[in-house]
């Protein structure tokens, strides 16, 4: 009888600890953007533009033609390179950033960079003349994504189709001047 009581007490003590460990393992360890590689959380590093400007400035001298705005980012590759062509990212927001305009799950996008020898570029305008000029990312740069809210301040982001090999950024910014970069091998 004492053995059964001891086992019951031990089971009741250990069970909550085990379920807590499993829960903690399913949530990123801190605020930020993470990719889960097996059982390990890999934090994506935050990245801001290093510069930028107009490309094809000569078009300005032809009436009706417009140059293109391009941001540049340091390094030709992100520190996190992923083999999974349809990765799931976990975004954990600090409580103070929750529900701030421009920081909700509805504002997230994944955008593809143009890779250069020593940097990456992101074209933020398109169109060759004043009638076709558009600000923002072209559809070719924006893979479709599915965003699921897991809890307050925690959501997942998954591309709906396989990503092409290349360099990408997950961003809240419609301007594309900062975000979290990653590469697809």
């Amino acid at each position: 009888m004492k053995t059964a009581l001891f086992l019951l007490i031990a089971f009741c003590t250990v069970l909550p600890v085990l379920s807590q460990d499993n829960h903690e393992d399913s949530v990123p360890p801190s605020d930020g953007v993470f990719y889960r590689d097996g059982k390990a959380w890999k934090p994506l590093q935050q990245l801001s533009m290093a510069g930028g400007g107009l490309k094809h400035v000569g078009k300005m001298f032809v009436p009706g033609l417009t140059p293109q705005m391009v941001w540049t980012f340091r390094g030709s590759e992100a520190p996190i390179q992923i083999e999974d062509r349809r990765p799931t990212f976990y975004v954990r927001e600090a409580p103070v950033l929750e529900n701030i305009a421009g920081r909700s799950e509805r504002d997230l996008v994944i955008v593809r960079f143009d890779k250069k020898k020593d940097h990456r570029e992101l074209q933020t305008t398109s169109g060759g003349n004043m009638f076709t000029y558009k600000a923002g990312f072209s559809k070719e740069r924006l893979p479709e994504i599915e965003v699921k809210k897991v809890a307050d301040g925690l959501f997942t982001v998954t591309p709906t189709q396989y990503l092409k090999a290349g360099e990408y950024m997950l961003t809240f910014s419609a301007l594309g001047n900062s975000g979290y970069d990653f590469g697809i091998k």
Side-chain angles (χ1 to χ4, degrees):
M1 181 72 173
K2 287 183 183 181
T3 306
L5 182 59
F6 174 76
L7 289 175
L8 180 62
I9 291 170
F11 180 73
C12 290
T13 305
V14 172
L15 186 60
V17 172
L18 290 176
S19 65
Q20 181 182 13
D21 287 344
N22 289 339
H23 174 68
E24 289 300 316
D25 194 34
S26 66
V27 176
S30 62
D31 299 334
V33 177
F34 294 83
Y35 169 69
R36 189 164 187 156
D37 186 9
K39 285 198 165 205
W41 289 106
K42 299 219 175 198
L44 272 60
Q45 292 183 10
Q46 197 158 13
L47 177 72
S48 294
M49 72 175 193
L54 298 175
K55 267 195 166 182
H56 312 295
V57 180
K59 289 182 176 182
M60 289 174 49
F61 300 110
V62 178
L65 296 183
T66 58
Q68 305 303 308
M69 179 62 76
V70 176
W71 302 136
T72 58
F73 295 84
R74 287 190 175 98
S76 62
E77 287 188 347
I80 299 292
Q81 295 292 311
I82 301 170
E83 290 187 28
D84 182 2
R85 292 189 48 219
R86 226 177 130 227
T88 296
F89 299 100
Y90 294 78
V91 179
R92 184 172 171 186
E93 287 281 284
V96 296
L97 294 176
E98 265 185 72
N99 302 320
I100 291 180
R103 295 290 300 192
S104 76
E105 63 268 14
R106 294 177 3 157
D107 301 311
L108 276 167
V109 295
I110 292 177
V111 63
R112 185 176 41 80
F113 288 119
D114 290 327
K115 185 176 175 177
K116 304 298 179 180
K117 186 172 91 172
D118 63 347
H119 68 282
R120 292 161 288 171
E121 293 181 350
L122 182 59
Q123 185 175 325
T124 60
T125 61
S126 61
N129 63 53
M130 62 186 178
F131 300 110
T132 61
Y133 177 85
K134 294 179 185 174
F137 308 121
S138 68
K139 289 182 181 181
E140 292 81 34
R141 293 189 180 283
L142 293 171
E144 220 173 284
I145 60 173
E146 181 179 7
V147 180
K148 291 182 182 176
K149 184 174 182 176
V150 177
D152 287 341
L154 177 63
F155 33 91
T156 61
V157 181
T158 308
T160 60
Q161 298 177 347
Y162 291 120
L163 297 177
K164 296 177 185 176
E167 294 294 311
Y168 294 85
M169 179 171 61
L170 191 147
T171 181
F172 285 99
S173 174
L175 298 175
N177 57 356
S178 66
Y180 299 86
D181 62 338
F182 65 96
I184 299 292
K185 293 182 181 181

